[in-house]
Amino acid sequence: MIELELRRARAGYGPVEALHGVDLAVAAGRLTALLGPNGAGKTTLLSVLAGLVPLRTGSLSWQGKSVSGWSVAERVRRGMLLVPEGRGTFAGLTVEENLRVFARGRDPGAALAAFPVLEARRGQRAGSLSGGEQQMLAVSRALLQRPRVLLLDELSSGLAPQVAAQLLALARRLADEGMTVVLVEQYADEALAIADHVHVLGRGSVVFSGEPGELVDGVPGVTRSVRAGS
């Protein structure tokens, strides 16, 4: 079943067009990786899905229904969550306060189960956490809202290999539990190891779509492994 589908999508910023007529489908309950060199349009594509960047032309459907005109708030309300690059936690609030902002009356402790280290940091200000812990907190906040679709932008960016591996393993587990996960990742080997499907972007266009095993020569312009970049 197709969860999300872009048809002839064009989008950009001011006079600059970043996506040039993209056709792309995301399968429901699977992990889809978006790969490509810097400037290929990956973050713009996630932003289009999330509603942060409007389509100039083309269409976006969600489970067969056109949602091109939906606001960010409406997409969030219906279960589409974006964890942006740079984490975006509230630095002056504690870990628990960050979670309660998004908990909507739910027990924030439920979001900590995936990251036991955050349990020990509940009273610590988010700005004093390590980069990896801040990323864990950002993902935990999103999970508190029980998304149907989780969009992850550069999940392992700047993180130690062990922390990156933990976050990527969680993304895989969420897909195994039925969540639709779309992952923009800078490290090709790690992404291909966990993805069900992969789209490779180049200069605002899709240059490859298929299963990870079909990319026998890797992804041009993309770092092979987090270990190589550490």
Side-chain angles (χ1 to χ4, degrees):
M1 178 180 175
I2 300 300
E3 183 84 50
L4 300 166
E5 186 172 21
L6 281 170
R7 291 285 203 140
R8 300 178 297 280
R10 293 183 179 273
Y13 311 90
V16 179
E17 186 175 87
L19 299 180
H20 313 305
V22 167
D23 290 315
L24 181 147
V26 173
R30 310 291 277 175
L31 194 155
T32 298
L34 303 179
L35 303 178
N38 290 336
K42 306 183 301 296
T43 292
T44 300
L45 196 154
L46 275 195
S47 297
V48 166
L49 297 179
L52 295 170
V53 173
L55 285 172
R56 293 178 174 176
T57 63
S59 64
L60 169 63
S61 61
W62 187 356
Q63 293 191 341
K65 180 177 181 178
S66 176
V67 297
S68 301
W70 285 16
S71 67
V72 174
E74 178 65 11
R75 296 179 206 211
V76 170
R77 191 176 72 80
R78 299 293 184 98
M80 185 185 297
L81 273 293
L82 169 67
V83 178
E85 184 181 9
R87 291 112 201 187
T89 57
F90 298 122
L93 299 183
T94 66
V95 168
E96 182 161 4
E97 288 168 342
N98 265 272
L99 293 173
R100 288 196 180 279
V101 168
F102 292 86
R104 298 178 183 177
R106 303 186 187 103
D107 178 11
L112 301 176
F115 303 113
V117 66
L118 292 181
E119 179 67 44
R121 307 275 196 273
R122 288 181 78 141
Q124 187 171 329
R125 295 192 184 280
S128 67
L129 300 175
S130 69
E133 290 165 348
Q134 289 185 42
Q135 189 69 294
M136 292 175 186
L137 177 57
V139 173
S140 293
R141 291 194 323 181
L143 295 181
L144 267 176
Q145 299 177 74
R146 301 176 182 174
R148 291 169 49 193
V149 178
L150 185 62
L151 311 174
L152 301 170
D153 193 8
E154 299 286 9
L155 187 63
S156 66
S157 178
L159 303 184
Q162 183 177 2
V163 177
Q166 184 178 356
L167 287 163
L168 291 168
L170 173 64
R172 178 64 260 174
R173 186 164 72 251
L174 293 172
D176 288 339
E177 293 171 355
M179 188 180 297
T180 300
V181 179
V182 184
L183 170 72
V184 167
E185 179 53 49
Q186 62 177 320
Y187 299 114
D189 286 356
E190 278 79 358
L192 294 174
I194 63 171
D196 298 301
H197 198 87
V198 60
H199 300 290
V200 179
L201 275 71
R203 297 184 178 181
S205 299
V206 176
V207 297
F208 171 86
S209 291
E211 296 181 0
E214 298 177 62
L215 274 172
V216 293
D217 296 323
V219 183
V222 177
T223 305
R224 289 291 304 274
S225 171
V226 66
R227 294 168 184 81
S230 61

